[in-house]
Amino acid sequence: MTTRLRTIALALLAFSAASTLADEPKQLRILSYNIHHGEGMDGKLDLERIAKVITAVEPHVVALQEVDRGCKRTQGVDEPGELGRLTGMTPIFERNIVFQGGDYGNAVLTRLPVTAWRNVHVPSHYVGEQRGALVVELTAPDAKKTPIRFMATHIDYRPDDAERMDSVKKLEEVAREHPDLPTLLVGDLNSRPDTRVMRAFGENWTRTDTAPLLTFPADKPDRQIDYVLVRPAPRWKVVESRVLDEPVASDHRPLLVVLELVD
């Protein structure tokens, strides 16, 4: 083969490989983590430990619950800002309640481009216990740069599930604003898989696990209360769904889900 022909052949091979890579579906790595304001099962406040747990699995987007900003119990630290710095990800935070001189709520860490976000309060049945969903508009890492919606939430925990059921309805209203948009609902839903709350979610959302993945309590988990839910179901393919083996850094174990967007 002449040098010229060899050059052309190599160029064609490179073009073919590049085209194949471009056609391959891009995976989206999602992490849900209730960080218990950074306090571990050992009573230590350690955001660096939390950050190491996160970076070890290289997520694109993380939903964080129980996050402090400027609160007395966490020494006035801006936790979303600090976790953004430690992980190299963009932090987004919204307050749901004022707490100990600071703010307390949900946060998102992302490596994906952000186009907009807002905080949506869910119905509250208890004074001082306002909860919400941080709704973030993102751009997926696929060739089409598909817009996706990421809803990070933490809903009520009490035995009476009335507030949780109302939260299901409110979150459904938000999702229906763009019914065809690929959407994820990620966070601590304080509900076991066999509850009527999860059955209500299941009317319009699809769980990314086929069997319960035990996330709480972190040291000896015996229940799943953390989830990644998706819609519309045909737009998502689950590649992997697992709980990280981390028994100390928080009172919850993190839930990792790897997805592919389907055209």
Side-chain angles (χ1 to χ4, degrees), residues 31-38 62-68 79 104-108 131-132 150-155 186-189 225-227 250-253:
L31 191 69
S32 180
Y33 201 4
N34 183 322
I35 64 168
H36 193 229
H37 60 268
V62 185
L64 300 175
Q65 305 88 49
E66 298 194 17
V67 183
D68 284 1
E79 291 195 332
Y104 174 80
N106 298 311
V108 167
R131 294 173 182 267
F150 188 88
M151 299 169 59
T153 194
H154 182 196
I155 61 177
V186 183
D188 180 353
L189 302 183
I225 57 176
D226 304 274
Y227 299 87
S250 172
D251 63 344
H252 287 239
R253 293 194 180 195

PDB file of all heavy atoms in Angstrom, residues 31-38 62-68 79 104-108 131-132 150-155 186-189 225-227 250-253:
ATOM      1  N   LEU A  31     -26.668  10.813  41.140  1.00  0.00           N
ATOM      2  CA  LEU A  31     -26.478  10.400  42.530  1.00  0.00           C
ATOM      3  C   LEU A  31     -27.490  11.120  43.407  1.00  0.00           C
ATOM      4  O   LEU A  31     -27.692  12.333  43.291  1.00  0.00           O
ATOM      5  CB  LEU A  31     -25.055  10.751  42.994  1.00  0.00           C
ATOM      6  CG  LEU A  31     -24.607  10.153  44.333  1.00  0.00           C
ATOM      7  CD1 LEU A  31     -24.427   8.638  44.203  1.00  0.00           C
ATOM      8  CD2 LEU A  31     -23.315  10.790  44.816  1.00  0.00           C
ATOM      9  N   SER A  32     -28.146  10.357  44.285  1.00  0.00           N
ATOM     10  CA  SER A  32     -29.014  10.932  45.305  1.00  0.00           C
ATOM     11  C   SER A  32     -28.362  10.697  46.663  1.00  0.00           C
ATOM     12  O   SER A  32     -27.982   9.573  46.988  1.00  0.00           O
ATOM     13  CB  SER A  32     -30.396  10.267  45.277  1.00  0.00           C
ATOM     14  OG  SER A  32     -31.235  10.827  46.270  1.00  0.00           O
ATOM     15  N   TYR A  33     -28.241  11.792  47.448  1.00  0.00           N
ATOM     16  CA  TYR A  33     -27.502  11.660  48.714  1.00  0.00           C
ATOM     17  C   TYR A  33     -28.074  12.616  49.751  1.00  0.00           C
ATOM     18  O   TYR A  33     -27.964  13.836  49.625  1.00  0.00           O
ATOM     19  CB  TYR A  33     -26.022  11.970  48.477  1.00  0.00           C
ATOM     20  CG  TYR A  33     -25.060  11.419  49.503  1.00  0.00           C
ATOM     21  CD1 TYR A  33     -25.487  10.616  50.555  1.00  0.00           C
ATOM     22  CD2 TYR A  33     -23.698  11.704  49.422  1.00  0.00           C
ATOM     23  CE1 TYR A  33     -24.591  10.103  51.477  1.00  0.00           C
ATOM     24  CE2 TYR A  33     -22.790  11.194  50.330  1.00  0.00           C
ATOM     25  CZ  TYR A  33     -23.238  10.392  51.357  1.00  0.00           C
ATOM     26  OH  TYR A  33     -22.348   9.895  52.267  1.00  0.00           O
ATOM     27  N   ASN A  34     -28.691  12.045  50.768  1.00  0.00           N
ATOM     28  CA  ASN A  34     -29.076  12.814  51.956  1.00  0.00           C
ATOM     29  C   ASN A  34     -27.839  12.888  52.837  1.00  0.00           C
ATOM     30  O   ASN A  34     -27.415  11.876  53.416  1.00  0.00           O
ATOM     31  CB  ASN A  34     -30.227  12.126  52.676  1.00  0.00           C
ATOM     32  CG  ASN A  34     -30.725  12.922  53.884  1.00  0.00           C
ATOM     33  OD1 ASN A  34     -29.934  13.525  54.604  1.00  0.00           O
ATOM     34  ND2 ASN A  34     -32.024  12.912  54.109  1.00  0.00           N
ATOM     35  N   ILE A  35     -27.257  14.075  52.955  1.00  0.00           N
ATOM     36  CA  ILE A  35     -25.947  14.193  53.607  1.00  0.00           C
ATOM     37  C   ILE A  35     -26.031  14.500  55.101  1.00  0.00           C
ATOM     38  O   ILE A  35     -25.001  14.646  55.762  1.00  0.00           O
ATOM     39  CB  ILE A  35     -25.054  15.242  52.911  1.00  0.00           C
ATOM     40  CG1 ILE A  35     -25.657  16.648  53.032  1.00  0.00           C
ATOM     41  CG2 ILE A  35     -24.816  14.857  51.462  1.00  0.00           C
ATOM     42  CD1 ILE A  35     -24.705  17.759  52.625  1.00  0.00           C
ATOM     43  N   HIS A  36     -27.259  14.644  55.655  1.00  0.00           N
ATOM     44  CA  HIS A  36     -27.405  14.865  57.103  1.00  0.00           C
ATOM     45  C   HIS A  36     -26.534  16.031  57.557  1.00  0.00           C
ATOM     46  O   HIS A  36     -25.808  15.954  58.530  1.00  0.00           O
ATOM     47  CB  HIS A  36     -27.037  13.570  57.851  1.00  0.00           C
ATOM     48  CG  HIS A  36     -27.426  13.572  59.291  1.00  0.00           C
ATOM     49  ND1 HIS A  36     -26.554  13.213  60.308  1.00  0.00           N
ATOM     50  CD2 HIS A  36     -28.581  13.896  59.903  1.00  0.00           C
ATOM     51  CE1 HIS A  36     -27.158  13.310  61.477  1.00  0.00           C
ATOM     52  NE2 HIS A  36     -28.407  13.721  61.253  1.00  0.00           N
ATOM     53  N   HIS A  37     -26.606  17.139  56.828  1.00  0.00           N
ATOM     54  CA  HIS A  37     -25.812  18.365  57.022  1.00  0.00           C
ATOM     55  C   HIS A  37     -24.310  18.092  57.189  1.00  0.00           C
ATOM     56  O   HIS A  37     -23.591  18.865  57.816  1.00  0.00           O
ATOM     57  CB  HIS A  37     -26.353  19.238  58.166  1.00  0.00           C
ATOM     58  CG  HIS A  37     -26.395  18.592  59.520  1.00  0.00           C
ATOM     59  ND1 HIS A  37     -27.499  17.919  59.989  1.00  0.00           N
ATOM     60  CD2 HIS A  37     -25.472  18.531  60.516  1.00  0.00           C
ATOM     61  CE1 HIS A  37     -27.256  17.475  61.201  1.00  0.00           C
ATOM     62  NE2 HIS A  37     -26.030  17.835  61.546  1.00  0.00           N
ATOM     63  N   GLY A  38     -23.848  16.991  56.602  1.00  0.00           N
ATOM     64  CA  GLY A  38     -22.424  16.674  56.642  1.00  0.00           C
ATOM     65  C   GLY A  38     -21.978  15.904  57.861  1.00  0.00           C
ATOM     66  O   GLY A  38     -20.792  15.591  57.997  1.00  0.00           O
ATOM     67  N   VAL A  62     -25.912  15.575  41.031  1.00  0.00           N
ATOM     68  CA  VAL A  62     -26.153  15.052  42.375  1.00  0.00           C
ATOM     69  C   VAL A  62     -27.296  15.823  43.007  1.00  0.00           C
ATOM     70  O   VAL A  62     -27.312  17.058  42.983  1.00  0.00           O
ATOM     71  CB  VAL A  62     -24.901  15.194  43.263  1.00  0.00           C
ATOM     72  CG1 VAL A  62     -25.121  14.530  44.618  1.00  0.00           C
ATOM     73  CG2 VAL A  62     -23.665  14.626  42.571  1.00  0.00           C
ATOM     74  N   ALA A  63     -28.253  15.101  43.588  1.00  0.00           N
ATOM     75  CA  ALA A  63     -29.297  15.712  44.412  1.00  0.00           C
ATOM     76  C   ALA A  63     -28.906  15.526  45.870  1.00  0.00           C
ATOM     77  O   ALA A  63     -28.714  14.395  46.329  1.00  0.00           O
ATOM     78  CB  ALA A  63     -30.652  15.061  44.137  1.00  0.00           C
ATOM     79  N   LEU A  64     -28.768  16.623  46.590  1.00  0.00           N
ATOM     80  CA  LEU A  64     -28.389  16.594  48.000  1.00  0.00           C
ATOM     81  C   LEU A  64     -29.558  17.058  48.855  1.00  0.00           C
ATOM     82  O   LEU A  64     -30.207  18.056  48.540  1.00  0.00           O
ATOM     83  CB  LEU A  64     -27.190  17.515  48.255  1.00  0.00           C
ATOM     84  CG  LEU A  64     -25.898  17.219  47.494  1.00  0.00           C
ATOM     85  CD1 LEU A  64     -24.877  18.305  47.776  1.00  0.00           C
ATOM     86  CD2 LEU A  64     -25.346  15.848  47.876  1.00  0.00           C
ATOM     87  N   GLN A  65     -29.795  16.344  49.944  1.00  0.00           N
ATOM     88  CA  GLN A  65     -30.818  16.745  50.901  1.00  0.00           C
ATOM     89  C   GLN A  65     -30.179  17.027  52.261  1.00  0.00           C
ATOM     90  O   GLN A  65     -29.081  16.567  52.542  1.00  0.00           O
ATOM     91  CB  GLN A  65     -31.883  15.656  51.059  1.00  0.00           C
ATOM     92  CG  GLN A  65     -32.549  15.227  49.762  1.00  0.00           C
ATOM     93  CD  GLN A  65     -31.800  14.126  49.060  1.00  0.00           C
ATOM     94  OE1 GLN A  65     -31.442  13.117  49.663  1.00  0.00           O
ATOM     95  NE2 GLN A  65     -31.583  14.300  47.760  1.00  0.00           N
ATOM     96  N   GLU A  66     -30.911  17.804  53.061  1.00  0.00           N
ATOM     97  CA  GLU A  66     -30.450  18.207  54.410  1.00  0.00           C
ATOM     98  C   GLU A  66     -29.136  18.974  54.322  1.00  0.00           C
ATOM     99  O   GLU A  66     -28.112  18.576  54.891  1.00  0.00           O
ATOM    100  CB  GLU A  66     -30.352  17.000  55.343  1.00  0.00           C
ATOM    101  CG  GLU A  66     -31.692  16.310  55.575  1.00  0.00           C
ATOM    102  CD  GLU A  66     -31.684  15.326  56.739  1.00  0.00           C
ATOM    103  OE1 GLU A  66     -30.772  15.385  57.588  1.00  0.00           O
ATOM    104  OE2 GLU A  66     -32.613  14.503  56.791  1.00  0.00           O
ATOM    105  N   VAL A  67     -29.191  20.078  53.615  1.00  0.00           N
ATOM    106  CA  VAL A  67     -28.004  20.897  53.369  1.00  0.00           C
ATOM    107  C   VAL A  67     -28.135  22.221  54.121  1.00  0.00           C
ATOM    108  O   VAL A  67     -29.167  22.890  54.050  1.00  0.00           O
ATOM    109  CB  VAL A  67     -27.839  21.170  51.863  1.00  0.00           C
ATOM    110  CG1 VAL A  67     -26.566  21.956  51.598  1.00  0.00           C
ATOM    111  CG2 VAL A  67     -27.840  19.856  51.072  1.00  0.00           C
ATOM    112  N   ASP A  68     -27.087  22.596  54.854  1.00  0.00           N
ATOM    113  CA  ASP A  68     -27.037  23.856  55.604  1.00  0.00           C
ATOM    114  C   ASP A  68     -26.249  24.912  54.842  1.00  0.00           C
ATOM    115  O   ASP A  68     -25.288  24.600  54.123  1.00  0.00           O
ATOM    116  CB  ASP A  68     -26.329  23.657  56.947  1.00  0.00           C
ATOM    117  CG  ASP A  68     -27.178  22.952  57.987  1.00  0.00           C
ATOM    118  OD1 ASP A  68     -28.322  22.583  57.677  1.00  0.00           O
ATOM    119  OD2 ASP A  68     -26.687  22.764  59.114  1.00  0.00           O
ATOM    120  N   GLU A  79     -22.386  25.190  52.934  1.00  0.00           N
ATOM    121  CA  GLU A  79     -22.143  23.804  52.532  1.00  0.00           C
ATOM    122  C   GLU A  79     -22.276  23.578  51.030  1.00  0.00           C
ATOM    123  O   GLU A  79     -21.414  22.898  50.444  1.00  0.00           O
ATOM    124  CB  GLU A  79     -23.059  22.859  53.310  1.00  0.00           C
ATOM    125  CG  GLU A  79     -22.698  22.764  54.782  1.00  0.00           C
ATOM    126  CD  GLU A  79     -23.346  21.599  55.482  1.00  0.00           C
ATOM    127  OE1 GLU A  79     -24.446  21.167  55.050  1.00  0.00           O
ATOM    128  OE2 GLU A  79     -22.780  21.106  56.468  1.00  0.00           O
ATOM    129  N   TYR A 104     -31.619  26.267  55.296  1.00  0.00           N
ATOM    130  CA  TYR A 104     -31.629  24.805  55.241  1.00  0.00           C
ATOM    131  C   TYR A 104     -32.518  24.378  54.088  1.00  0.00           C
ATOM    132  O   TYR A 104     -33.629  24.885  53.933  1.00  0.00           O
ATOM    133  CB  TYR A 104     -32.168  24.254  56.560  1.00  0.00           C
ATOM    134  CG  TYR A 104     -32.379  22.759  56.634  1.00  0.00           C
ATOM    135  CD1 TYR A 104     -31.314  21.902  56.857  1.00  0.00           C
ATOM    136  CD2 TYR A 104     -33.656  22.211  56.509  1.00  0.00           C
ATOM    137  CE1 TYR A 104     -31.515  20.525  56.962  1.00  0.00           C
ATOM    138  CE2 TYR A 104     -33.861  20.843  56.608  1.00  0.00           C
ATOM    139  CZ  TYR A 104     -32.791  20.008  56.836  1.00  0.00           C
ATOM    140  OH  TYR A 104     -32.987  18.653  56.935  1.00  0.00           O
ATOM    141  N   GLY A 105     -32.025  23.469  53.241  1.00  0.00           N
ATOM    142  CA  GLY A 105     -32.833  23.050  52.109  1.00  0.00           C
ATOM    143  C   GLY A 105     -32.159  21.999  51.261  1.00  0.00           C
ATOM    144  O   GLY A 105     -31.345  21.206  51.750  1.00  0.00           O
ATOM    145  N   ASN A 106     -32.498  22.009  49.977  1.00  0.00           N
ATOM    146  CA  ASN A 106     -31.957  21.057  49.013  1.00  0.00           C
ATOM    147  C   ASN A 106     -30.904  21.726  48.137  1.00  0.00           C
ATOM    148  O   ASN A 106     -30.928  22.940  47.932  1.00  0.00           O
ATOM    149  CB  ASN A 106     -33.076  20.523  48.110  1.00  0.00           C
ATOM    150  CG  ASN A 106     -34.139  19.781  48.888  1.00  0.00           C
ATOM    151  OD1 ASN A 106     -33.839  18.914  49.700  1.00  0.00           O
ATOM    152  ND2 ASN A 106     -35.402  20.114  48.638  1.00  0.00           N
ATOM    153  N   ALA A 107     -30.004  20.906  47.615  1.00  0.00           N
ATOM    154  CA  ALA A 107     -28.975  21.418  46.711  1.00  0.00           C
ATOM    155  C   ALA A 107     -28.779  20.457  45.555  1.00  0.00           C
ATOM    156  O   ALA A 107     -29.115  19.265  45.648  1.00  0.00           O
ATOM    157  CB  ALA A 107     -27.658  21.633  47.446  1.00  0.00           C
ATOM    158  N   VAL A 108     -28.250  20.986  44.479  1.00  0.00           N
ATOM    159  CA  VAL A 108     -27.857  20.183  43.323  1.00  0.00           C
ATOM    160  C   VAL A 108     -26.424  20.531  42.983  1.00  0.00           C
ATOM    161  O   VAL A 108     -26.033  21.706  42.990  1.00  0.00           O
ATOM    162  CB  VAL A 108     -28.780  20.458  42.117  1.00  0.00           C
ATOM    163  CG1 VAL A 108     -28.195  19.880  40.829  1.00  0.00           C
ATOM    164  CG2 VAL A 108     -30.177  19.894  42.361  1.00  0.00           C
ATOM    165  N   ARG A 131     -41.150  22.091  53.085  1.00  0.00           N
ATOM    166  CA  ARG A 131     -40.275  21.307  52.222  1.00  0.00           C
ATOM    167  C   ARG A 131     -40.481  21.727  50.774  1.00  0.00           C
ATOM    168  O   ARG A 131     -41.454  22.410  50.455  1.00  0.00           O
ATOM    169  CB  ARG A 131     -40.533  19.808  52.407  1.00  0.00           C
ATOM    170  CG  ARG A 131     -40.136  19.328  53.797  1.00  0.00           C
ATOM    171  CD  ARG A 131     -40.544  17.897  54.046  1.00  0.00           C
ATOM    172  NE  ARG A 131     -40.199  17.501  55.398  1.00  0.00           N
ATOM    173  CZ  ARG A 131     -39.063  16.904  55.759  1.00  0.00           C
ATOM    174  NH1 ARG A 131     -38.144  16.642  54.838  1.00  0.00           N
ATOM    175  NH2 ARG A 131     -38.820  16.583  57.010  1.00  0.00           N
ATOM    176  N   GLY A 132     -39.562  21.316  49.915  1.00  0.00           N
ATOM    177  CA  GLY A 132     -39.668  21.769  48.540  1.00  0.00           C
ATOM    178  C   GLY A 132     -38.923  20.884  47.566  1.00  0.00           C
ATOM    179  O   GLY A 132     -38.324  19.871  47.926  1.00  0.00           O
ATOM    180  N   PHE A 150     -34.425  18.207  36.023  1.00  0.00           N
ATOM    181  CA  PHE A 150     -33.940  17.481  37.198  1.00  0.00           C
ATOM    182  C   PHE A 150     -34.626  18.079  38.425  1.00  0.00           C
ATOM    183  O   PHE A 150     -34.432  19.257  38.742  1.00  0.00           O
ATOM    184  CB  PHE A 150     -32.418  17.633  37.293  1.00  0.00           C
ATOM    185  CG  PHE A 150     -31.766  16.772  38.342  1.00  0.00           C
ATOM    186  CD1 PHE A 150     -31.358  15.484  38.044  1.00  0.00           C
ATOM    187  CD2 PHE A 150     -31.546  17.264  39.619  1.00  0.00           C
ATOM    188  CE1 PHE A 150     -30.734  14.699  39.009  1.00  0.00           C
ATOM    189  CE2 PHE A 150     -30.927  16.492  40.581  1.00  0.00           C
ATOM    190  CZ  PHE A 150     -30.523  15.203  40.281  1.00  0.00           C
ATOM    191  N   MET A 151     -35.432  17.274  39.109  1.00  0.00           N
ATOM    192  CA  MET A 151     -36.174  17.730  40.284  1.00  0.00           C
ATOM    193  C   MET A 151     -35.601  17.047  41.525  1.00  0.00           C
ATOM    194  O   MET A 151     -35.712  15.829  41.680  1.00  0.00           O
ATOM    195  CB  MET A 151     -37.659  17.412  40.118  1.00  0.00           C
ATOM    196  CG  MET A 151     -38.289  18.091  38.909  1.00  0.00           C
ATOM    197  SD  MET A 151     -39.956  17.490  38.481  1.00  0.00           S
ATOM    198  CE  MET A 151     -40.851  17.852  40.001  1.00  0.00           C
ATOM    199  N   ALA A 152     -34.961  17.833  42.387  1.00  0.00           N
ATOM    200  CA  ALA A 152     -34.334  17.310  43.602  1.00  0.00           C
ATOM    201  C   ALA A 152     -35.220  17.644  44.796  1.00  0.00           C
ATOM    202  O   ALA A 152     -35.512  18.815  45.037  1.00  0.00           O
ATOM    203  CB  ALA A 152     -32.945  17.925  43.782  1.00  0.00           C
ATOM    204  N   THR A 153     -35.612  16.623  45.564  1.00  0.00           N
ATOM    205  CA  THR A 153     -36.586  16.872  46.621  1.00  0.00           C
ATOM    206  C   THR A 153     -36.322  16.042  47.868  1.00  0.00           C
ATOM    207  O   THR A 153     -35.556  15.076  47.855  1.00  0.00           O
ATOM    208  CB  THR A 153     -38.020  16.607  46.103  1.00  0.00           C
ATOM    209  OG1 THR A 153     -38.979  17.151  47.011  1.00  0.00           O
ATOM    210  CG2 THR A 153     -38.275  15.110  45.936  1.00  0.00           C
ATOM    211  N   HIS A 154     -36.994  16.444  48.933  1.00  0.00           N
ATOM    212  CA  HIS A 154     -36.954  15.753  50.229  1.00  0.00           C
ATOM    213  C   HIS A 154     -38.305  16.011  50.882  1.00  0.00           C
ATOM    214  O   HIS A 154     -38.590  17.140  51.285  1.00  0.00           O
ATOM    215  CB  HIS A 154     -35.813  16.310  51.083  1.00  0.00           C
ATOM    216  CG  HIS A 154     -35.653  15.641  52.415  1.00  0.00           C
ATOM    217  ND1 HIS A 154     -34.915  16.203  53.442  1.00  0.00           N
ATOM    218  CD2 HIS A 154     -36.139  14.471  52.898  1.00  0.00           C
ATOM    219  CE1 HIS A 154     -34.943  15.403  54.486  1.00  0.00           C
ATOM    220  NE2 HIS A 154     -35.684  14.343  54.176  1.00  0.00           N
ATOM    221  N   ILE A 155     -39.150  14.981  50.968  1.00  0.00           N
ATOM    222  CA  ILE A 155     -40.495  15.185  51.479  1.00  0.00           C
ATOM    223  C   ILE A 155     -40.653  14.610  52.886  1.00  0.00           C
ATOM    224  O   ILE A 155     -39.751  13.971  53.416  1.00  0.00           O
ATOM    225  CB  ILE A 155     -41.565  14.648  50.508  1.00  0.00           C
ATOM    226  CG1 ILE A 155     -41.414  13.147  50.273  1.00  0.00           C
ATOM    227  CG2 ILE A 155     -41.477  15.403  49.176  1.00  0.00           C
ATOM    228  CD1 ILE A 155     -42.504  12.565  49.366  1.00  0.00           C
ATOM    229  N   VAL A 186     -35.497  13.063  41.949  1.00  0.00           N
ATOM    230  CA  VAL A 186     -34.406  12.429  42.688  1.00  0.00           C
ATOM    231  C   VAL A 186     -34.408  12.924  44.125  1.00  0.00           C
ATOM    232  O   VAL A 186     -34.487  14.134  44.373  1.00  0.00           O
ATOM    233  CB  VAL A 186     -33.044  12.759  42.030  1.00  0.00           C
ATOM    234  CG1 VAL A 186     -31.909  12.041  42.746  1.00  0.00           C
ATOM    235  CG2 VAL A 186     -33.069  12.396  40.546  1.00  0.00           C
ATOM    236  N   GLY A 187     -34.319  11.984  45.073  1.00  0.00           N
ATOM    237  CA  GLY A 187     -34.188  12.437  46.450  1.00  0.00           C
ATOM    238  C   GLY A 187     -34.730  11.473  47.485  1.00  0.00           C
ATOM    239  O   GLY A 187     -35.014  10.301  47.214  1.00  0.00           O
ATOM    240  N   ASP A 188     -34.876  12.017  48.692  1.00  0.00           N
ATOM    241  CA  ASP A 188     -35.354  11.284  49.857  1.00  0.00           C
ATOM    242  C   ASP A 188     -36.870  11.442  49.919  1.00  0.00           C
ATOM    243  O   ASP A 188     -37.376  12.499  50.284  1.00  0.00           O
ATOM    244  CB  ASP A 188     -34.675  11.853  51.107  1.00  0.00           C
ATOM    245  CG  ASP A 188     -35.092  11.156  52.390  1.00  0.00           C
ATOM    246  OD1 ASP A 188     -36.009  10.316  52.348  1.00  0.00           O
ATOM    247  OD2 ASP A 188     -34.513  11.477  53.449  1.00  0.00           O
ATOM    248  N   LEU A 189     -37.581  10.379  49.578  1.00  0.00           N
ATOM    249  CA  LEU A 189     -39.040  10.421  49.543  1.00  0.00           C
ATOM    250  C   LEU A 189     -39.666   9.883  50.828  1.00  0.00           C
ATOM    251  O   LEU A 189     -40.897   9.844  50.951  1.00  0.00           O
ATOM    252  CB  LEU A 189     -39.562   9.642  48.336  1.00  0.00           C
ATOM    253  CG  LEU A 189     -39.041  10.122  46.976  1.00  0.00           C
ATOM    254  CD1 LEU A 189     -39.671   9.321  45.842  1.00  0.00           C
ATOM    255  CD2 LEU A 189     -39.271  11.621  46.776  1.00  0.00           C
ATOM    256  N   ILE A 225     -35.635   4.451  51.120  1.00  0.00           N
ATOM    257  CA  ILE A 225     -36.451   5.662  51.141  1.00  0.00           C
ATOM    258  C   ILE A 225     -35.901   6.717  50.171  1.00  0.00           C
ATOM    259  O   ILE A 225     -36.481   7.781  50.032  1.00  0.00           O
ATOM    260  CB  ILE A 225     -36.596   6.252  52.558  1.00  0.00           C
ATOM    261  CG1 ILE A 225     -35.240   6.567  53.181  1.00  0.00           C
ATOM    262  CG2 ILE A 225     -37.393   5.312  53.447  1.00  0.00           C
ATOM    263  CD1 ILE A 225     -35.344   7.245  54.553  1.00  0.00           C
ATOM    264  N   ASP A 226     -34.805   6.394  49.494  1.00  0.00           N
ATOM    265  CA  ASP A 226     -34.178   7.294  48.515  1.00  0.00           C
ATOM    266  C   ASP A 226     -34.355   6.698  47.123  1.00  0.00           C
ATOM    267  O   ASP A 226     -34.176   5.488  46.936  1.00  0.00           O
ATOM    268  CB  ASP A 226     -32.697   7.474  48.829  1.00  0.00           C
ATOM    269  CG  ASP A 226     -32.465   7.969  50.247  1.00  0.00           C
ATOM    270  OD1 ASP A 226     -32.496   9.187  50.447  1.00  0.00           O
ATOM    271  OD2 ASP A 226     -32.284   7.120  51.153  1.00  0.00           O
ATOM    272  N   TYR A 227     -34.666   7.566  46.151  1.00  0.00           N
ATOM    273  CA  TYR A 227     -35.045   7.062  44.828  1.00  0.00           C
ATOM    274  C   TYR A 227     -34.553   7.977  43.711  1.00  0.00           C
ATOM    275  O   TYR A 227     -34.344   9.177  43.908  1.00  0.00           O
ATOM    276  CB  TYR A 227     -36.577   6.967  44.702  1.00  0.00           C
ATOM    277  CG  TYR A 227     -37.223   6.034  45.684  1.00  0.00           C
ATOM    278  CD1 TYR A 227     -37.593   6.475  46.949  1.00  0.00           C
ATOM    279  CD2 TYR A 227     -37.483   4.696  45.348  1.00  0.00           C
ATOM    280  CE1 TYR A 227     -38.199   5.622  47.860  1.00  0.00           C
ATOM    281  CE2 TYR A 227     -38.088   3.839  46.250  1.00  0.00           C
ATOM    282  CZ  TYR A 227     -38.448   4.300  47.504  1.00  0.00           C
ATOM    283  OH  TYR A 227     -39.039   3.455  48.404  1.00  0.00           O
ATOM    284  N   SER A 250     -22.720   9.727  56.292  1.00  0.00           N
ATOM    285  CA  SER A 250     -24.022  10.326  56.566  1.00  0.00           C
ATOM    286  C   SER A 250     -24.896   9.266  57.211  1.00  0.00           C
ATOM    287  O   SER A 250     -24.466   8.115  57.385  1.00  0.00           O
ATOM    288  CB  SER A 250     -24.653  10.828  55.266  1.00  0.00           C
ATOM    289  OG  SER A 250     -25.985  11.254  55.473  1.00  0.00           O
ATOM    290  N   ASP A 251     -26.140   9.623  57.541  1.00  0.00           N
ATOM    291  CA  ASP A 251     -27.055   8.597  58.070  1.00  0.00           C
ATOM    292  C   ASP A 251     -27.803   7.883  56.947  1.00  0.00           C
ATOM    293  O   ASP A 251     -28.553   6.937  57.203  1.00  0.00           O
ATOM    294  CB  ASP A 251     -28.026   9.185  59.096  1.00  0.00           C
ATOM    295  CG  ASP A 251     -28.949  10.248  58.524  1.00  0.00           C
ATOM    296  OD1 ASP A 251     -28.660  10.762  57.415  1.00  0.00           O
ATOM    297  OD2 ASP A 251     -29.945  10.577  59.185  1.00  0.00           O
ATOM    298  N   HIS A 252     -27.634   8.318  55.699  1.00  0.00           N
ATOM    299  CA  HIS A 252     -28.140   7.626  54.519  1.00  0.00           C
ATOM    300  C   HIS A 252     -26.962   7.129  53.701  1.00  0.00           C
ATOM    301  O   HIS A 252     -25.875   7.721  53.731  1.00  0.00           O
ATOM    302  CB  HIS A 252     -28.935   8.574  53.618  1.00  0.00           C
ATOM    303  CG  HIS A 252     -30.275   8.958  54.137  1.00  0.00           C
ATOM    304  ND1 HIS A 252     -31.440   8.702  53.454  1.00  0.00           N
ATOM    305  CD2 HIS A 252     -30.644   9.606  55.271  1.00  0.00           C
ATOM    306  CE1 HIS A 252     -32.467   9.183  54.134  1.00  0.00           C
ATOM    307  NE2 HIS A 252     -32.011   9.736  55.243  1.00  0.00           N
ATOM    308  N   ARG A 253     -27.185   6.067  52.941  1.00  0.00           N
ATOM    309  CA  ARG A 253     -26.223   5.671  51.920  1.00  0.00           C
ATOM    310  C   ARG A 253     -26.614   6.314  50.587  1.00  0.00           C
ATOM    311  O   ARG A 253     -27.803   6.476  50.303  1.00  0.00           O
ATOM    312  CB  ARG A 253     -26.169   4.148  51.784  1.00  0.00           C
ATOM    313  CG  ARG A 253     -25.594   3.471  53.014  1.00  0.00           C
ATOM    314  CD  ARG A 253     -25.221   2.042  52.762  1.00  0.00           C
ATOM    315  NE  ARG A 253     -24.670   1.437  53.973  1.00  0.00           N
ATOM    316  CZ  ARG A 253     -23.984   0.287  53.999  1.00  0.00           C
ATOM    317  NH1 ARG A 253     -23.773  -0.374  52.864  1.00  0.00           N
ATOM    318  NH2 ARG A 253     -23.520  -0.182  55.137  1.00  0.00           N
TER     319      ARG A 253
END
